[in-house]
């Protein structure tokens, strides 16, 4: 099943000078694929993640996510659809500093239904255990290492079992060992839930974890060999 389909995407920023980012970009990602998005700084990786994540709209083109034509959806529909189907992981984790690891993980549940049940809390604990942090339930983000914080962020992204995870430079601030842990965690999540995972990165050492790799070139995507980047 095709989970993400972008067709003839055009996107410019016109704040000051016009920056043309995409011109006729196409992309197709199947269920359960781990797909890398590479390209130099400023080539549009984050812009692409924002379009797929339904955070930003292209100027032109079609965005199909899980078979839905999202360009015809209202902002309200988009935000409900996003919360239900898409988990986000960023380079800087964006955990809430005042909340414990466990509480941070529960946030998407609270957004969806306002009150977390005992069942939900149990699920959060299980996910925290799954990412290897059962001993850090009550730790604040400031009491965790960079790698641990990022694993909390991954746990938060998967708590609602989204069909899609979008990760923008998820290992950008991590050392080699923690990078590997995060990538192995993504692989394990995909194997367990058949999650479709899109990872934007300019770190070539991550590419071996990808099923397929796209590079942004001339404002479009070209598919490259994962072993070459
Ligand atoms: N809100 C914005 N307003 C104006 N220009 C923007 C905006 N966001 C991004 N751009 C420009 O669009 C282009 C693509 O930016 P984007 O952040 O998508 O690149 P990137 O590949 O993610 O880069 P990096 O590897 O540095 O994160 C850049 O030239 C950037 O300056
Ligand atoms: Mg970026």
């Amino acid at each position: 099943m095709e989970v993400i389909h972008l067709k003839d995407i055009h996107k410019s920023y016109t704040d000051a000078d016009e920056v043309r980012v995409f011109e006729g970009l196409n992309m197709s990602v199947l269920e359960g694929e781990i797909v890398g998005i590479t390209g130099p700084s400023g080539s549009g990786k984050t812009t692409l993640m924002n379009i797929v994540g339904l955070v930003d709209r292209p100027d032109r083109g079609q965005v199909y996510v899980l078979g839905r034509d999202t360009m015809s959806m209202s902002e309200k529909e988009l935000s409900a659809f996003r919360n239900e189907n898409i988990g986000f992981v960023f380079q800087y984790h964006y955990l809430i500093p005042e909340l414990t690891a466990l509480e941070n993980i529960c946030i998407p549940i609270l957004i969806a239904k306002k009150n977390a049940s005992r069942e939900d809390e149990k699920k959060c604990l299980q996910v925290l255990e799954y990412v290897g942090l059962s001993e850090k339930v009550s730790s604040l983000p400031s009491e965790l290492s960079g790698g641990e914080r990022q694993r909390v962020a991954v746990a938060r992204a998967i708590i609602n079992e989204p069909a899609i995870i979008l990760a923008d430079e998820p290992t950008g601030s991590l050392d080699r060992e923690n990078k590997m842990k995060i990538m192995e965690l993504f692989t394990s999540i995909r194997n367990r839930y058949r999650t479709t995972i899109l990872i934007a990165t300019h770190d070539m050492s991550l590419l071996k974890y990808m099923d397929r790799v796209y590079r942004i070139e001339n404002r479009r995507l070209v598919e490259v060999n994962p072993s070459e980047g």
Side-chain angles (χ1 to χ4, degrees):
M1 182 185 134
E2 194 175 42
V3 169
I4 301 165
H5 184 171
L6 302 185
K7 210 172 153 198
D8 198 28
I9 298 295
H10 291 245
K11 175 75 184 172
S12 298
Y13 291 108
T14 47
D15 308 339
D17 296 323
E18 187 184 40
V19 183
R20 290 182 300 161
V21 187
F22 300 135
E23 286 182 314
L25 174 145
N26 297 299
M27 179 169 82
S28 171
V29 180
L30 302 177
E31 182 179 5
E33 281 192 306
I34 300 182
V35 173
I37 308 289
T38 64
S41 181
S43 60
K45 299 181 295 297
T46 297
T47 303
L48 183 61
M49 298 304 254
N50 288 342
I51 288 173
V52 174
L54 312 174
V55 175
D56 197 3
R57 290 187 196 253
D59 305 322
R60 222 176 88 196
Q62 283 151 310
V63 181
Y64 295 95
V65 181
L66 295 163
R68 291 281 301 271
D69 176 3
T70 65
M71 291 297 278
S72 62
M73 289 162 73
S74 69
E75 288 301 322
K76 206 174 158 192
E77 285 175 308
L78 284 177
S79 78
F81 186 80
R82 201 187 302 130
N83 193 50
E84 186 178 330
N85 298 301
I86 306 177
F88 293 88
V89 180
F90 306 96
Q91 174 172 3
Y92 300 103
H93 50 82
Y94 296 113
L95 300 178
I96 298 179
E98 293 83 3
L99 300 184
T100 65
L102 185 66
E103 290 163 345
N104 266 288
I105 290 175
C106 287
I107 290 173
I109 291 181
L110 296 173
I111 290 174
K113 46 194 269 200
K114 292 199 172 70
N115 277 305
S117 63
R118 294 292 294 265
E119 202 79 332
D120 292 329
E121 197 173 316
K122 214 170 110 196
K123 185 167 153 197
C124 292
L125 279 167
Q126 279 166 355
V127 173
L128 204 53
E129 190 177 337
Y130 178 63
V131 301
L133 292 175
S134 38
E135 267 122 70
K136 305 289 181 180
V137 174
S138 322
S139 301
L140 296 171
S142 61
E143 298 164 340
L144 299 172
S145 74
E148 289 167 346
R149 276 178 222 155
Q150 200 58 316
R151 276 184 279 149
V152 174
V154 173
R156 182 184 53 186
I158 63 173
I159 193 71
N160 281 343
E161 292 174 32
I164 301 168
I165 292 178
L166 301 177
D168 193 356
E169 297 285 1
T171 63
S173 49
L174 303 180
D175 62 18
R176 225 179 73 89
E177 195 185 329
N178 279 301
K179 260 185 215 178
M180 266 172 42
K181 274 193 196 159
I182 291 289
M183 292 307 293
E184 279 160 11
L185 185 55
F186 281 136
T187 306
S188 149
I189 290 165
R190 185 274 305 276
N191 294 346
R192 182 155 162 180
Y193 300 103
R194 274 188 77 69
T195 314
T196 303
I197 306 181
L198 217 56
I199 301 174
T201 184
H202 44 228
D203 184 341
M204 295 303 152
S205 74
L206 303 188
L207 300 188
K208 61 174 182 284
Y209 295 93
M210 318 282 187
D211 300 315
R212 290 194 298 122
V213 175
Y214 282 115
R215 187 167 59 216
I216 302 175
E217 216 173 278
N218 299 322
R219 306 189 182 92
R220 293 188 189 154
L221 292 179
V222 291
E223 201 167 334
V224 296
N225 188 326
S227 62
E228 292 162 14

